[in-house]
């Protein structure tokens, strides 16, 4: 049987933890590894940035590359690294400085010159803690960080910082679900890229409005509703277009006040079942081209 499927792209994105806005993005084919996308995004980092990521990005070469950019990283420890907390210098409760040695073989994705340029060893900070919240699958989490100064970066602050990494999942959900970017309409790769960039422009516009509203009316911008901001903006656009410059400024300030009026309550440790509410229709999946399906209808 000849199978036909829709083309799929893989997107790598860096979000700002403060504003929720998209800082950088790259697009590649679906079977591209996450770490390959990440390495394309490192050039967008600025000195003193702290990059949060899950275990897929916790590689020796990447820790070195991020430090060479005068940045720091907090990643979850990769499951293939079997080093224990028995060795290393104790710097706090469940907190140690450990030494990582350079891999013996050149990892995939690195050239021989890049591999030879890696230092023989690096010192990283390993922190582990336990999660006892119902609904969370992971019980023990091990973090690897390049933030070695325990006075400036206490253990609990790093743990709390990594806990905010989940915000990126919510930001991606806003892009795919709230703004409906999960299904793209264009047909060619170049137009698909343009369509994705337009979605990101709209997303960053909403985030900028949330930031302006929050900072103007002393409300945490990350507690404002992106969907609510979208609805208010859509309602105000006709009025803003018809108003003169003075009235437009008043309308803009009114819109910011309405956006900041009702903040989303902080709901720590909230968990929801991973189920679908809407029932899909009972039609079979499309596994052939429309031309072949039409012929089957004609011969039936």
């Amino acid at each position: 049987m000849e199978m036909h499927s829709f083309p799929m792209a893989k997107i790598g994105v860096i979000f700002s933890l403060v504003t929720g806005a998209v800082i950088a993005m790259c697009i590649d084919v679906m079977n591209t590894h996450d770490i390959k996308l990440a390495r394309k995004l490192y050039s967008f980092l600025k000195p003193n940035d702290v990059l949060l990521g899950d275990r897929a990005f916790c590689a020796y070469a990447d820790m070195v590359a991020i430090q060479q950019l005068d940045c720091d990283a907090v990643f979850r420890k990769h499951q293939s690294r079997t080093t224990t907390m028995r060795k290393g210098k104790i710097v706090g409760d469940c907190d140690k400085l450990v030494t990582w040695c350079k891999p013996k073989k050149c990892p995939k994705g690195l050239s021989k010159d890049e591999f030879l340029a890696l230092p023989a060893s690096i010192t990283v900070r390993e922190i582990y803690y336990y999660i006892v919240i119902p609904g969370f699958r992971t019980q023990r989490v091990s973090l690897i960080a390049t933030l070695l100064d325990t006075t400036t970066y206490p253990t609990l602050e790093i743990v709390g910082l990594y806990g905010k990494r989940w915000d990126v999942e919510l930001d991606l959900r806003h892009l795919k679900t709230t703004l409906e970017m999960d299904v793209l309409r264009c047909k060619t790769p170049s137009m698909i890229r343009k369509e994705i960039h337009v979605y990101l422009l709209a997303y960053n516009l909403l985030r900028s409005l949330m930031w302006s509203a929050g900072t103007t009316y002393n409300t945490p911008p990350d507690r404002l509703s992106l969907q609510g901001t979208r609805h208010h903006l859509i309602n105000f656009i006709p009025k803003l277009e018809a108003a003169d410059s003075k009235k437009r400024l008043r309308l803009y300030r009114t819109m910011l006040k309405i956006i900041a009026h009702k903040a989303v309550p902080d709901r720590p440790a909230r968990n929801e079942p991973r189920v679908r509410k809407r029932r899909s229709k009972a039609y079979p999946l499309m596994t052939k081209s429309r031309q072949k399906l039409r012929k089957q209808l004609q011969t039936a």
Side-chain angles (χ1 to χ4, degrees), residues 17-239:
L17 188 61
V18 178
T19 64
V22 175
I23 303 300
M25 183 199 68
C26 64
I27 307 173
D28 213 320
V29 296
M30 185 61 189
N31 59 352
T32 305
H33 195 278
D34 292 344
I35 204 165
K36 183 178 179 180
L37 293 176
R39 288 168 181 167
K40 294 181 180 180
L41 297 172
Y42 292 159
S43 59
F44 294 95
L45 297 175
K46 297 180 181 180
N48 300 321
D49 280 349
V50 178
L51 186 64
L52 304 180
D54 58 22
R55 63 179 63 182
F57 308 104
C58 190
Y60 186 93
D62 292 79
M63 304 293 283
V64 173
I66 293 170
Q67 287 184 301
Q68 289 176 346
L69 294 171
D70 293 328
C71 299
D72 287 289
V74 179
F75 295 148
R76 189 175 169 192
K77 184 179 177 181
H78 197 274
Q79 65 272 16
S80 64
R81 188 170 288 274
T82 57
T83 54
T84 65
M85 293 288 288
R86 296 178 181 178
K87 297 181 180 180
K89 179 182 177 182
I90 299 175
V91 294
D93 294 335
C94 306
D95 194 344
K96 280 189 176 183
L97 297 180
V98 296
T99 300
W100 279 11
C101 296
K102 179 179 176 179
K104 296 181 180 180
K105 296 182 180 179
C106 180
K108 294 181 180 180
L110 288 182
S111 64
K112 291 185 177 180
D113 293 335
E114 292 173 335
F115 178 69
L116 293 174
L118 294 177
S121 64
I122 58 173
T123 300
V124 296
R125 191 171 168 187
E126 184 168 352
I127 302 169
Y128 73 90
Y129 59 96
Y130 292 90
I131 297 177
V132 293
I133 301 174
F136 284 76
R137 291 173 295 176
T138 303
Q139 294 184 351
R140 172 168 168 163
V141 176
S142 295
L143 301 181
I144 301 298
T146 59
L147 303 168
L148 306 183
D149 189 348
T150 57
T151 303
T152 307
Y153 309 104
T155 306
L156 291 179
E157 289 193 8
I158 294 181
V159 171
L161 178 65
Y162 187 78
K164 296 181 180 179
R165 195 211 68 83
W166 181 253
D167 290 353
V168 70
E169 306 295 341
L170 304 180
D171 296 335
L172 288 171
R173 187 186 67 179
H174 280 311
L175 274 172
K176 294 188 293 185
T177 304
T178 306
L179 299 185
E180 301 178 357
M181 199 186 76
D182 55 338
V183 178
L184 303 175
R185 273 73 181 174
C186 294
K187 304 298 182 182
T188 62
S190 61
M191 291 302 297
I192 287 291
R193 290 177 181 272
K194 292 179 181 179
E195 186 176 0
I196 292 174
H197 280 92
V198 169
Y199 273 106
L200 296 184
L201 285 172
Y203 173 80
N204 278 353
L205 171 62
L206 296 175
R207 284 295 184 184
S208 66
L209 284 176
M210 294 165 65
W211 178 261
S212 298
T215 54
T216 302
Y217 295 98
N218 298 321
T219 303
D222 59 344
R223 297 259 55 88
L224 299 179
S225 170
L226 187 136
Q227 182 72 293
T229 302
R230 177 192 179 194
H231 289 162
H232 293 316
L233 176 61
I234 292 174
N235 292 333
F236 268 86
I237 283 178
K239 299 177 183 178

